[in-house]
Amino acid sequence: MLAVFDKTVAKSPEALQSPHTVESAFALKDGSLASHFSSLHPGSVNIHLGSSGFIAYSSDKQNPLLPRLFAVVDDIFCVFEGHIENVAHLKQQYGLNKTANEVIIVIEAYRTLRDRGPYPADQVVRDIQGKFAFILYDSSSKATFIATDADGSVPFFWGTDSEGHLVLSDDGEVVKQGCGKSFAPFPKGCFFTSSGGLRSYEHPINEMKAVPRVDSSGEVCGATFKVSESKKGKTGMPRVGSDANWSEHI
């Protein structure tokens, strides 16, 4: 799976940007990264999101224990890779029918947060038990919601290209193609939103600290993110009747 979001939709952390990234590292320009992904995965599907970017996915070369799923519901696009263990519980929690699969559960969890916000976003992700990584884009509000499990069971990488666009994929070589040295594994047990940036759902009140990655040649290669001991401010979300939805303030 692959997603590239324009910097106006999802602002990548500055620490991901390596000073050694070559000028030719472009993820959206000329559609070159999308074409590269398609060449690696014949039969892949590419969903253009207008000026916001694109999402691509393929069932090619997937781990049968960690399948990739894609769905669109009410202008919410989501690609999911992995397996949720407590599917039955989450279906009941979100009022879904028996045929709903993992990607539908993630979309409904997001939609519940966006429209009603009964739980903090960190709790919603924490309630998902299993091995997973997902990328969600809400075209109605131009909001992203991205997460991976606490053990990093699914390979998942992110980076930023020379123009500051955010790149995410389960293939590190694809991210490197679009970002040069400005990439890293997506932090375990964390989620990212357009408006709130990166957070740990295991330690939601703690700040995230960037630690530069250094490659074998001694050059900075993106950054890893660790949970800091310093605390955040209030992390709650607007409830019913608030003047704006959570996706704009999380």
Side-chain angles (χ1 to χ4, degrees):
M1 61 181 178
L2 169 66
V4 180
F5 295 112
D6 187 89
K7 60 186 176 183
T8 61
V9 172
K11 182 176 174 57
S12 59
E14 292 183 5
L16 271 181
Q17 183 71 56
S18 168
H20 301 287
T21 292
V22 294
E23 292 184 0
S24 59
F26 297 107
L28 278 180
K29 191 175 182 179
D30 301 327
S32 57
L33 190 59
S35 297
H36 177 66
F37 181 83
S38 297
S39 69
L40 295 175
H41 302 282
S44 61
V45 177
N46 194 323
I47 301 95
H48 292 276
L49 305 172
S51 61
S52 297
F54 70 88
I55 293 175
Y57 75 98
S58 170
S59 58
D60 180 52
K61 303 174 185 177
Q62 69 178 357
N63 182 338
L65 299 178
L66 302 171
R68 302 185 193 106
L69 301 168
F70 176 79
V72 184
V73 179
D74 295 338
D75 296 324
I76 300 172
F77 300 77
C78 185
V79 58
F80 177 98
E81 183 169 345
H83 173 70
I84 294 177
E85 296 172 356
N86 59 333
V87 165
H89 170 74
L90 294 176
K91 285 181 183 178
Q92 182 178 18
Q93 179 173 323
Y94 293 113
L96 294 167
N97 61 43
K98 293 181 179 181
T99 62
N101 58 15
E102 282 92 341
V103 69
I104 296 298
I105 289 171
V106 170
I107 290 175
E108 188 59 31
Y110 166 81
R111 190 159 57 174
T112 300
L113 282 167
R114 183 195 65 183
D115 298 343
R116 298 188 294 276
Y119 308 110
D122 55 88
Q123 180 181 335
V124 169
V125 184
R126 193 165 56 247
D127 284 347
I128 302 174
Q129 299 171 12
K131 301 176 179 180
F132 65 87
F134 65 79
I135 303 167
L136 180 148
Y137 174 70
D138 182 352
S139 63
S140 65
S141 58
K142 293 191 174 182
T144 60
F145 189 36
I146 300 153
T148 188
D149 70 71
D151 296 321
S153 306
V154 175
F156 197 39
F157 304 86
W158 67 339
T160 180
D161 75 353
S162 298
E163 297 179 308
H165 305 314
L166 184 65
V167 182
L168 304 113
S169 179
D170 57 352
D171 187 335
E173 288 302 313
V174 169
V175 178
K176 185 176 181 180
Q177 176 77 18
C179 302
K181 291 183 178 293
S182 298
F183 80 102
F186 190 87
K188 302 175 184 178
C190 291
F191 69 100
F192 176 90
T193 64
S194 295
S195 52
L198 182 69
R199 292 185 183 179
S200 165
Y201 56 80
E202 294 188 299
H203 306 280
I205 65 172
N206 293 69
E207 298 280 357
M208 299 297 296
K209 179 181 179 181
V211 180
R213 295 173 71 221
V214 179
D215 64 13
S216 58
S217 63
E219 294 186 344
V220 175
C221 183
T224 56
F225 292 81
K226 308 291 185 182
V227 177
S228 170
E229 293 183 1
S230 60
K231 309 294 184 181
K232 284 181 173 287
K234 183 179 178 182
T235 59
M237 297 186 299
R239 298 296 190 260
V240 173
S242 60
D243 58 358
N245 69 52
W246 78 274
S247 63
E248 296 173 347
H249 292 277
I250 185 172

